[in-house]
Amino acid sequence: MTATLLSDANQRLEKALQYVTIHEDAIERLKFPKASLTVSIPVRMDDGSLRVFQGYRVRYDDSRGPTKGGVRFHPSVTLDEVQSLAFWMTFKCAALSIPFGGAKGGITLNPKELSKFELERLSRGYIDLIADFIGPDIDIPAPDVYTNPMIMGWMMDQYSTIRRQITPAVVTGKPLTMGGSLGRETATAMGAFFTIQTLMPKYDRRPEETTVAVQGFGNAGSVIAELLFRAGYKVVAVSDSQGGVYAPEGLDIPSIRQFKESTRGIKAVYCKGTVCNSIDHEVLTNAELLELDVDILVPAALENQITGENAARIRAPFIFEVANGPITSAADQILEEKGIQVFPDILVNAGGVTVSYFEWVQNRCGYYWSLEEVNQRLKEKMTRETELIWVISHELSCSMRTAAYVHALKRLAEAIEAKGTRDDYTS
Ligand code: GLU
């Protein structure tokens, strides 16, 4: 298993390199993570016992600035996974022209099994062990799968205690009162929404005629489903880790969100006030949702959902990757042969890190922006880079994924080459 994910991620780099000439020194640098830290975090559990959790932080590349990326709490976290996620962050920040490199962190656990006290001790313990590896000018963690503003607040607080100095810019995605930014919680979905709104008109697709299925109903999936619903798209299927619902006539997403918030489950309901009634629907698994005959498929859960095994059965002509790495490189090829347009994670879900950057800027200035300002700047950035990647994909006749990598690679290579290449030393 080790290195499988990272080598899969590296295949995207290899593909992009067929379309762009960059110095061999830069290619060599980008193949390996700069630094990987593994820690064992001892946590006193509520029953008095002691448990040790495995944690990781990987700084992949910092040629363009301090490294940036989330921390996930999930049972499947491994060093290999964290390294590949850090690789993607490197390209994501470069694709969006954010002055950061890429990083990622994770702790292997099922967060649903821990109490809030235990989660707090774990989060603070993690920071105790990685404090010398992070910092506002070194590496800046943020939320990812199953981590949230409260956890980011604990992490920032712990780092500030260690440094004896309030240091809000060390972590992003914090609660507002601790230096968080307005719009950060909805930023990933909002950014994805702006890319969809920029790209769909290019295919003459109007919202009212477009059906959508969303896999994953967490922070990103539930918000993108609602944004699309409110913009007039017909969201016909949604799912969470337990499975999903499908109603060809369309679902009422605000009702489902309200229901999920009070019960923690997904149900096809229509709510009036606090009364929610079930509507006609089919129950389906996550795998079945991916294969629905819809116009837009939005994988917004975990990586490796569309693989060589099920890619041939995917029917949606457009896929927007809101999750990181939901499609393997083997699946990419099959989807491309079927004429399915894939809009890649490093562009589509970059709204999260973009507003994280805005949060870091605000922390360092000590001056905070309005929600309108945040969303306006996010819209400008997402729209601009989406258009640039679109042009590259047409100029080079390549997929949007390869175009996004080419776009990022040029910026990364420029930064790496600025420090000197073999040509500077041998001529
Ligand atoms: N975890 C998010 C991502 O994968 C956000 C990272 C950040 O804000 O630094 O893009």
Side-chain angles (χ1 to χ4, degrees):
M1 177 71 196
T2 316
T4 336
L5 277 168
L6 184 59
S7 48
D8 197 74
N10 259 312
Q11 284 193 28
R12 264 80 192 245
L13 177 59
E14 297 292 339
K15 185 107 197 248
L17 286 170
Q18 294 167 12
Y19 293 86
V20 61
T21 314
I22 68 166
H23 202 281
E24 60 190 320
D25 290 9
I27 302 172
E28 188 65 8
R29 280 281 291 273
L30 288 169
K31 281 188 180 154
F32 307 96
K34 177 165 183 164
S36 304
L37 183 66
T38 300
V39 293
S40 303
I41 315 154
V43 177
R44 182 66 59 198
M45 306 301 279
D46 292 345
D47 67 1
S49 65
L50 186 86
R51 263 183 78 184
V52 176
F53 295 87
Q54 289 302 298
Y56 309 94
R57 186 74 192 167
V58 173
R59 301 199 310 246
Y60 198 93
D61 181 81
D62 59 3
S63 315
R64 301 184 61 262
T67 54
K68 186 84 191 82
V71 180
R72 66 173 52 181
F73 286 0
H74 197 270
S76 69
V77 165
T78 58
L79 178 61
D80 173 39
E81 185 195 51
V82 176
Q83 284 179 335
S84 35
L85 289 161
F87 168 93
W88 282 318
M89 285 307 302
T90 306
F91 284 81
K92 196 186 295 186
C93 292
L96 268 286
S97 193
I98 293 169
F100 288 143
K104 204 75 175 196
I107 304 179
T108 317
L109 83 152
N110 181 353
K112 292 177 187 162
E113 285 171 2
L114 267 65
S115 73
K116 216 167 231 174
F117 284 123
E118 290 166 343
L119 279 177
E120 177 172 358
R121 290 193 284 268
L122 175 72
S123 307
R124 290 183 184 276
Y126 176 63
I127 294 300
D128 285 341
L129 290 167
I130 68 164
D132 292 328
F133 202 70
I134 60 172
D137 291 306
I138 303 170
D139 173 36
I140 306 123
D144 197 75
V145 176
Y146 290 133
T147 50
N148 58 27
M150 182 175 245
I151 294 174
M152 294 307 115
W154 291 329
M155 291 186 176
M156 186 286 255
D157 189 52
Q158 190 65 19
Y159 184 86
S160 300
T161 304
I162 294 167
R163 293 275 172 261
R164 295 195 175 277
Q165 178 168 71
I166 306 294
T167 318
V170 69
V171 171
T172 58
K174 304 177 292 291
L176 286 182
T177 46
M178 295 176 80
S181 173
L182 288 166
R184 175 61 187 86
E185 276 216 83
T186 50
T188 305
M190 192 66 94
F193 178 70
F194 292 140
T195 61
I196 295 175
Q197 291 287 75
T198 307
L199 290 163
M200 291 322 283
K202 298 188 189 298
Y203 297 91
D204 292 324
R205 290 279 180 156
R206 297 219 317 273
E208 312 76 62
E209 303 156 350
T210 308
T211 55
V212 185
V214 181
Q215 184 205 36
F217 212 65
N219 179 36
S222 68
V223 178
I224 187 71
E226 179 150 350
L227 289 171
L228 291 171
F229 170 86
R230 292 198 185 277
Y233 290 84
K234 215 181 201 193
V235 184
V236 295
V238 292
S239 66
D240 65 9
S241 57
Q242 305 304 307
V245 289
Y246 170 52
E249 291 314 308
L251 295 160
D252 187 74
I253 303 298
S255 295
I256 299 179
R257 286 191 74 193
Q258 179 185 329
F259 186 82
K260 168 120 182 161
E261 249 155 58
S262 53
T263 64
R264 309 210 141 269
I266 282 203
K267 218 169 148 190
V269 287
Y270 178 74
C271 304
K272 258 197 172 154
T274 51
V275 183
C276 296
N277 291 311
S278 187
I279 61 155
D280 252 3
H281 69 278
E282 282 170 39
V283 170
L284 79 188
T285 63
N286 267 294
E288 287 164 346
L289 178 137
L290 297 174
E291 296 170 23
L292 283 175
D293 186 7
V294 290
D295 298 309
I296 297 182
L297 178 62
V298 180
L302 289 171
E303 59 267 18
N304 286 348
Q305 298 302 298
I306 302 177
T307 63
E309 193 278 313
N310 62 353
R313 296 194 298 275
I314 304 297
R315 285 185 281 175
F318 302 101
I319 306 180
F320 285 84
E321 292 185 318
V322 169
N324 285 311
I327 301 179
T328 63
S329 53
D332 256 354
Q333 203 162 335
I334 300 169
L335 297 174
E336 210 170 323
E337 280 158 18
K338 283 174 65 110
I340 294 176
Q341 291 286 338
V342 175
F343 301 104
D345 46 6
I346 62 166
L347 168 68
V348 175
N349 74 24
V353 72
T354 301
V355 177
S356 273
Y357 165 50
F358 297 162
E359 181 174 329
W360 180 83
V361 169
Q362 293 170 77
N363 291 154
R364 308 199 83 176
C365 299
Y367 179 76
Y368 289 84
W369 310 348
S370 68
L371 181 61
E372 292 68 38
E373 220 170 329
V374 170
N375 284 337
Q376 186 51 35
R377 286 181 199 251
L378 174 63
K379 185 176 182 178
E380 276 164 25
K381 221 170 190 4
M382 295 302 303
T383 311
R384 185 185 133 83
E385 302 300 332
T386 303
E387 293 286 4
L388 289 172
I389 293 169
W390 174 262
V391 169
I392 295 175
S393 104
H394 281 77
E395 276 174 6
L396 301 179
S397 300
C398 65
S399 68
M400 280 292 278
R401 187 185 313 282
T402 300
Y405 274 86
V406 167
H407 189 47
L409 207 45
K410 284 187 189 161
R411 288 180 177 148
L412 280 160
E414 207 180 326
I416 295 170
E417 290 169 18
K419 288 183 200 159
T421 63
R422 177 182 175 169
D423 307 341
D424 298 295
Y425 299 105
T426 50
S427 56

